[in-house]
Structures are given as C-alpha cells and as structure tokens.
Amino acid sequence: MIGQVETAEENTVKGGQAKAVAVFGAGGHTGRFVVAELTRRGIAPMAVVRSAATLQREGVFGSEIDIREAGIDDDASLDRAFAGVDAVINCAGPFLDTARPVAAAAIRAGAHYLDVTAEQPSAMATFETFDEAARNAGVLILPAMGFYGGFGDLLVTAAAGGWTDVDDIRIAIALDTWHPTKGTRITGERNTAQRLVVSNGSLVPLVPAADDLEMDFPEPFGRQNVVALPFSEIPVITRHLRPRELHSFLNRAALRDVRDAATPAPKATDETGRSPQRFAIEAAIRKGGETRRIAARGRDIYAFSAPLICEAVERLLDGRSRGSGARAPGAVFEAGDFLDALSAQVPDFELIQE
C-alpha cells in the first residue's frame, strides 16, 4: 500500500514548519533506499514518480509516504511536485536527461538540488548551467552526491587537510562484484561521451593505458588489477581543488561484471534491501615530497549512496553548509566531520585514515 497522491497545496497546509524533501525517481532502486533513509532520519520524504499507480501495484511504500506525480517533459508537473519542499534529491538516471529539468524546477521552488550521477557530462553541465541561478536563489546545487563523485571528493578533501593546489590525486575503487541496476544499464548506453581526466593541470580525454596496472586495497581485496576509469569525481573535485594530475581507477573484476550483459541485477540479502556487494576505495594526494592517504570500505554502492546524500541534505537543512550556487561537497561541508558521521551511522562502513 502506498500513500495518497496529493496536491502540493494540500501538503503545504499539512506540513507546517516541518522540513520536506522531494525524491525524484523514488520508485527506482536507489530512490527506495533514499526514501527509507530520509524517513529514518525524521525528514519527511515526498516520493515523486511518473506513475503512482505503478508503485501501488508493486506495493513499494507504506501509507505514511506522500506520493506526487511528475515527468521531466512537463515543467508544470515538476513545479507542483516540488512546491513547498526544502530540497530535491534526483535519483532518476540517465542524468543527462533528468538533471537539467529537475534542477531548474528545484531552483524555481527555492529548494536545494542534489543528485547521484556518475556521469561526467551531466555533472559538468549542472555546474556550468545552474551556478548563477542557484546563487541568485540562495540555494545549493550538488551534482554527483553519491558513491561515484561526491564520496571521492569528501575523501580527497579530508585527506588534503587544507591543500588546494596539489601535484597528484589518485582515486582507486575495488568492488568484489558489480551487479548493475536497470538504471545503470540504461545510463551506460546513453552516456557515450569521452571520459576526462586532469593532466598537466587541464581536463583532457582519457588515454587508456596499454599496460596492466596493479594497486593495493584494504582487506579483503588486497592487490587488484585495475583500469583507468574516471567517473563524476573528476568534475566534482576540480570544482574546488587544483590538481596538476587527477586520475581514477576501477578494478578489472568489477568492470567485467558491469560490461557483461548476463550479470544479474543486485539481489537483497538483508531486511534493508542491501546486496552483499563489498567495496573499498583509497585516495592518495601528493604535494611535493609529501603524500597523504585515506581509505574506506563498506557494503553495496547503491545502498551506500542513500546515507551519503541524506547526510548532505540533513546538513543543508540544519545550516551545516557553506554558501550557495553549484558546488562540490568538499567546498560546502566539513569533510572530516561528514565522513565521521557516516562511520558512526552506516552499518559495515569503516573509514581508514593512513
């Protein structure tokens, strides 16, 4: 059973001074985790979907969740759905298609906007398109506030400890498996843009290395064969830091999984809906002769994006953020404190400072 489909006006009357967050794409795999996490934190989620009837048939949400219908091709429906909310979380990919209309509607509503895109061109376009409008509206726009993108930026910022101009940043990710969601599959087909890295201080197209690379990760991974594969952390990090070199890597085992059409979707193995997938990530930042490192490990990259983005929303709503405009999380939040909060709240997540 799901909640009632209601008009924005009805909810505004009922909501009083309570903070409300619209979750666009709430019926998707990550969206469901986000709705559950907001509820756990005592923040009222508004589930925004294309079809409430579909959710009702699937029995996705309980009666306590308010449902609103909207589509990216209907600005009026987005305006109705976002009326009266304090923030909008976009979980509906491909973000190359959804980010622009959803972010524009959030700004019209006077609400903060966040998404979980791993797509470099989407994050870059959001930064470039909405910075001035968000500043004028006094809201924050945080694209790529998920596992790929914002998480790496927070780790890098925490390890950098005040460095802004650095010689080299390396981010390495290992997954024991990568069972992609339907949304990940669709996004991969939609996103055909050339991937970018930073070399000699400039954004340049990735040139895949011919040689096999190996990197060491925290247990249980150990030494892994990796491939250069940058995601949205590149435009996010360069939004506020100035590395001469910035490169990202993914272990080849995970890449084989996600490229194999036969790899199944994630399967829940606990009451929260998490899959058994394990991840590890390490960031190394070098300036001159000094290198600083930080690492983390946890479970289920899709599920982990929910407490990550919801922690950001909670800090936006209670004033633990800086400025307005289209920003990177490392420029908006105290990165170390943010990561410590995740360590205290998220099961199976561990921060490893070296």
Side-chain angles (χ1 to χ4, degrees):
M1 191 67 185
I2 63 172
Q4 296 296 313
V5 181
E6 62 179 7
T7 67
E9 292 77 12
E10 286 170 341
N11 186 71
T12 301
V13 172
K14 293 191 304 183
Q17 298 301 311
K19 300 292 187 180
V21 176
V23 182
F24 187 80
H29 187 81
T30 302
R32 299 181 192 194
F33 283 120
V34 169
V35 169
E37 180 66 17
L38 288 171
T39 302
R40 186 190 72 80
R41 291 170 179 258
I43 301 171
M46 305 295 180
V48 182
V49 297
R50 286 177 295 182
S51 171
T54 299
L55 287 188
Q56 190 167 21
R57 285 195 302 271
E58 296 175 354
V60 174
F61 298 126
S63 59
E64 72 281 2
I65 303 299
D66 293 326
I67 310 298
R68 299 178 177 184
E69 293 184 340
I72 58 172
D73 56 351
D74 185 349
D75 285 350
S77 72
L78 291 170
D79 290 342
R80 289 192 298 271
F82 298 162
V85 305
D86 300 281
V88 174
I89 298 176
N90 182 5
C91 297
F95 295 91
L96 285 166
D97 299 327
T98 67
R100 182 182 291 268
V102 176
I107 291 173
R108 291 196 299 271
H112 304 295
Y113 170 86
L114 309 88
D115 67 37
V116 293
T117 185
E119 305 157 47
Q120 288 187 342
S122 173
M124 294 171 69
T126 300
F127 280 134
E128 294 166 1
T129 303
F130 295 109
D131 183 51
E132 182 177 359
R135 290 177 188 275
N136 291 338
V139 298
L140 277 160
I141 302 293
L142 298 175
M145 192 62 234
F147 178 82
Y148 293 109
F151 184 38
D153 178 59
L154 288 166
L155 289 168
V156 165
T157 304
W163 287 350
T164 54
D165 294 275
V166 297
D167 295 317
D168 187 71
I169 298 174
R170 305 271 165 157
I171 299 173
I173 296 170
L175 312 176
D176 63 352
T177 60
W178 190 354
H179 291 190
T181 64
K182 180 180 178 181
T184 297
R185 294 274 190 213
I186 295 171
T187 296
E189 294 171 1
R190 174 75 174 84
N191 181 22
T192 59
Q194 173 69 59
R195 294 178 185 267
L196 302 176
V197 296
V198 176
S199 184
N200 291 319
S202 299
L203 279 171
V204 298
L206 169 69
V207 178
D211 298 332
D212 283 347
L213 298 174
E214 291 188 339
M215 291 184 171
D216 291 318
F217 291 89
E219 292 300 328
F221 291 95
R223 196 158 185 82
Q224 293 279 313
N225 188 248
V226 301
V227 60
L229 192 65
F231 291 95
S232 52
E233 67 279 348
I234 303 298
V236 173
I237 290 170
T238 55
R239 191 70 182 174
H240 69 118
L241 301 180
R242 295 182 293 275
R244 184 168 178 78
E245 299 287 331
L246 172 55
H247 302 271
S248 300
F249 303 87
L250 178 71
N251 65 323
R252 286 188 181 272
L255 184 60
R256 283 194 297 269
D257 273 354
V258 79
R259 286 181 171 174
D260 185 350
T263 303
K267 183 177 181 180
T269 56
D270 68 18
E271 68 283 356
T272 70
R274 294 187 304 167
S275 77
Q277 179 200 56
R278 299 284 174 171
F279 68 78
I281 179 170
E282 180 173 273
I285 304 92
R286 181 177 62 83
K287 183 174 183 177
E290 183 178 356
T291 298
R292 298 174 179 176
R293 300 179 184 273
I294 189 170
R297 56 190 166 204
R299 178 176 167 187
D300 192 333
I301 61 173
Y302 297 108
F304 179 73
S305 287
L308 183 63
I309 202 166
C310 290
E311 180 68 23
V313 164
E314 188 169 327
R315 288 171 183 249
L316 293 181
L317 298 184
D318 67 16
R320 286 179 291 163
S321 60
R322 296 184 289 263
S324 60
R327 309 283 296 279
V332 169
F333 305 115
E334 294 296 335
D337 181 67
F338 192 112
L339 293 168
D340 287 342
L342 292 177
S343 296
Q345 297 178 47
V346 180
D348 302 313
F349 176 68
E350 180 184 8
L351 193 64
I352 307 167
Q353 294 187 283
E354 302 178 7

